[in-house]
Structure formats: structure tokens, C-alpha cells
Amino acid sequence: MCIRDSSQPVAVIVFYLFVLVMGLIAYPLVRLAMPGLADRGYPISKLAGLLLLALVVWLLGSFGVPFTKVTILLVLLGLILLAITLIIIQRKTLWQEIKDNWRYYLVIEALALIAFIAFLLIRLGNPDLWHPYKGGEKPMDFSYLNAVLKSTTFPPYDPWFAGGYINYYYYGFVIIGVPIKLLGIIPATAYNIILPIWYSLLILGGFSVGWNLFKGIPRSRALNWGKDEKQRLFGLAFWAGLFTAIGLAVLGNLGTVRLILDGFQRLASGGLAIDEAGLIQKITWAFQGFKLFLQGTPMPFYPGDWYWYPSRVIPGEPITEFPFFTFIYGDPHAHLIAFPITVFAISWSLSVVLRKAQWGEADGHLKWLGTAAGFFLGAMVIGALRPTNTWDFYTYSVLAALVILYSVIRNFHPKRKNKTVAILWMKKIILAILAASGPVSYTHLTLPTKRIV
């Protein structure tokens, strides 16, 4: 069954609700795996659910199990059973957490919906998937998405080379393609739904990092924070999270400011090369050009310069994209799909630091189960970066390793039992190295990387 173009509003609602449900399914695992976060990772549970579903489906497809709706439904059923099991195991603390934090959950859902609707309106303003000179790489990305959806096993067939298979890091299209295939949404419609959903996930990830980082900072008497700050829903932590999300996903670099200044200088320079002028001359031209602009002289730019220039602000034109530019441009390219996953990796690392590399509940229960869940989730998230956008994998695997090394060495205190200081430090270092290698090692166990190179 397909959701036809005539039912696009239904497709939007169904897709959004599906992502919401995946977050609820994944949260029992996420809260167990990320106890260092004050919100136990609730804002990033939606992405965790999508990653879990995609991982299992992809592994099955990589080993010959047909990539069909039936397979996806069976995997989804398995995840639901896992969630029920974890809910039962954590029922006391989970129920208490829901009673204490239900207002926070509503705030998160409201923030997610606002971000989704805002970017959905942007896509409604320009839903075209191709334009003669503003189309970007949409045809390539759309072809990869369709190849994933139409393939029965992985790697998917190559839409540009008959008889071949994709040798590009295509896993991001699996992550977004699994719910599309399951829900039966026409790909051209789903394309414009995925972008606002992914933008919403990025907003939630940024908010969670800022909120939890603020909550994790020891209270300073010098700042004179109130005693009830911990209980306030819209306290300083909320604004820290909101400004983090805005700084990450709304604000860009200063390329537009520089573009405007360059425009004023070019208006007043009379065609002279502004790059060769001195500082005083540039300032003078800027004021003179501003006066000319107020008098009605148009800025010397093409319309496309206003959005393109900030993505090429460094001499030599290396790419200086920022998230909002990338989403506005509208190509669901590998690096765009990786954005919220990288923030997830940062959240996981932050949880390890704040919880001092310990897992389980505060009373000591579920220590080993929490540790296993924590390392599995870290491996899944960091490992997902390798076949999604390979260049991010090295950055965040190193970050995770350093975080674990630091946390174990700083917080693990082996029993002395007449041992020398050197032996105690050797124990610390060995345990830290073994723990730090965990997420990266598990990555190779959970991801058949030979299938994506």
C-alpha cells in the first residue's frame, strides 16, 4: 500500500508520528545507556530508534535476507519486545522519572514539532527536486535513495552503472529509506518530509547537549543560582539548551556579514581591487558604499550570492557550509544525514564524562546491563558514521576514545591491597585502553564495512 501524492498531508503526519513512536520504543534502551545525562537522552531517542531499526534491517539485508516490508515489520516487532522487556526491568525508576519529568517531555515534543513545521514550510516554498542551476546534487541523492528502496539486498544496485552496486557510503539512505519503505510513502514526497524531520532531530540534539552540559556543571556560588533552579522547567538550563540549538542549527558563520561589507566597499571602490587596499581604505570605502546603498545603488551581487557566499568564505574556496545552509540547499547528502548522528556521538561522550564512566541506576542496580547497553549504543552511533559519512567516523571515534580514557583514568580507583603506586597506575591505564577501544572495536563487529567501500 502506498500513500499517494493526493494524500501528502497524511504522509507528513504518518511519517512524523512514526518517528515519534520510534523514539518511545528506543527510550528504555537510551536511558539505560546514557545515565550521565540529566534527561537520560530523551531528546535523541527518536534518532536512536531510527538507527536501531536501520542497523538490524541493514545487517539482515547484507547477509542475504530480503529487504522487504515483512522484514522491517519483524525487526520492528523485535525492537518493541526489547523495549517492553527493558521497561519491565526499569519499571520503578522509569515510572518515577515519567512522573517527575513529563512536563520536560512535553517541552521537547513541542520543540521538535516547531522545528519540523518551520522547515516543512521552507520546503513547501521550494519543493522542486530539480532545477537547471539550483538543483545541486538532488538527482544523485534521489537516485541513491531510490536504489536503496528498490534493492532486495545490500549493497544496493548502482543507478549509474548497470550490473554494478553502489560503492559510495550509502548507509544514510538506508536510515531514511527504511521508514519510507515500511510506510509506503512515494519517494518524491518522502524526500521533502525527511529534510524537516532531520532538521528537527538536529535541533533536539543541540538542545540536549546544551541542556545537559549546563545541568552537569557544578553550581557556582558566585553566579548565585537559586536553589530551585534544578526544578524549574524554563530555567537557565532551558535557555542554555535553546541557545545551543539555535547556534548549531539556525545561526551560520559570518560570511553574510563579510559579503555585505565587501559589497559596500565594491560600490565605493570604482572597480579597484579591494583585496589589495589597506585597512583604512577599506573602512573608508565601507562607509562610502553604505551611503551609496542608502541612496538606492543596488548591491553588486547575483541573487544566488546571498546564500552561496557564506559556504565559501575562506580564500581558495574550501567548503565552509554550516547546517542551516546545507538544509536550505536541500540535498540529503551524506554529510547532512550525518549531522544529528554526530551530535548524538557528542551526547554519548558527554554522558560518559558526567557519569564518570559508570553505568546503571543511581542506587547501583543494573550496572552490568547498563554498561553493555552503553557500549552497544556508543558503538552503534559512532559506527553508523563510517558508512554514512566516513570522514566523521575518525573524528568521533577519537573523541569517544579520549573521553573514556580520561574518565577511567580519573575516576577508577583500584583497591590497593599492598600494591605499589606503579602497579595501580598500570591497572588504570590497561583498563582505560581496553574500555576506550570498545566502541571502535564493536563497530567492526556490528557493521559489515566491506559492504560499503
Side-chain angles (χ1 to χ4, degrees), residues 54-55 223 323 327 389 411 440:
L55 173 63
L223 292 177
F327 277 93
N389 192 43
N411 301 293
V440 179

Side-chain angles (χ1 to χ4, degrees), residues 56-68 70-72 74-75 151-154:
V56 181
V57 171
W58 184 52
L59 285 172
L60 293 174
S62 297
F63 290 105
V65 178
F67 175 44
T68 63
V70 174
T71 301
I72 301 173
L74 290 175
V75 173
S151 295
T152 54
T153 58
F154 298 119

Side-chain angles (χ1 to χ4, degrees), residues 177-191:
V178 167
I180 295 173
K181 193 178 187 81
L182 176 63
L183 300 175
I185 299 176
I186 293 175
T189 300
Y191 187 106

Side-chain angles (χ1 to χ4, degrees), residues 24 27 31 34-43 45 90 92-110 207 211-212 215 228-234 237-238 361:
L24 298 177
Y27 183 58
R31 75 174 302 275
M34 303 176 70
L37 303 183
D39 62 10
R40 301 299 288 264
Y42 180 81
S45 59
Q90 304 173 81
K92 292 183 180 179
T93 54
L94 182 57
W95 176 242
Q96 186 62 45
E97 182 180 300
I98 292 173
K99 291 196 296 184
D100 293 342
N101 298 326
W102 65 270
R103 293 180 181 85
Y104 175 77
Y105 299 153
L106 291 181
V107 169
I108 292 300
E109 295 305 332
F207 180 88
W211 196 85
N212 286 292
K215 285 286 189 179
D228 62 340
E229 171 62 28
K230 184 177 180 180
Q231 306 299 326
R232 293 176 61 194
L233 187 60
F234 295 102
F238 170 82
E361 300 292 352

Side-chain angles (χ1 to χ4, degrees), residues 369-382:
L369 181 60
T371 302
F375 273 81
F376 168 77
L377 193 68
M380 180 189 73
V381 173
I382 296 169

Side-chain angles (χ1 to χ4, degrees), residues 15 19 50 116 145 175-177 179-180 189-201 327 332 336-337:
F15 208 145
V19 174
L50 295 175
F116 174 76
L145 175 60
I175 299 173
I176 65 177
I180 295 173
T189 300
Y191 187 106
N192 283 315
I193 303 175
I194 279 293
L195 288 167
I197 283 180
W198 232 243
Y199 186 74
S200 176
L201 295 178
F327 277 93
L336 182 148
I337 299 174

Side-chain angles (χ1 to χ4, degrees), residues 378-398:
M380 180 189 73
V381 173
I382 296 169
L385 289 172
R386 182 172 183 179
T388 300
N389 192 43
T390 306
W391 319 111
D392 288 325
F393 169 75
Y394 303 103
T395 299
Y396 293 95
S397 59
V398 170

Side-chain angles (χ1 to χ4, degrees), residues 34 44 47 201-209 248 338-349 381 385 396:
M34 303 176 70
I44 55 179
L47 178 58
L201 295 178
L202 182 64
I203 287 284
L204 290 185
F207 180 88
S208 182
V209 170
L248 171 67
F339 276 152
I341 304 176
T342 61
V343 179
F344 197 151
I346 293 172
S347 294
W348 185 86
S349 300
V381 173
L385 289 172
Y396 293 95

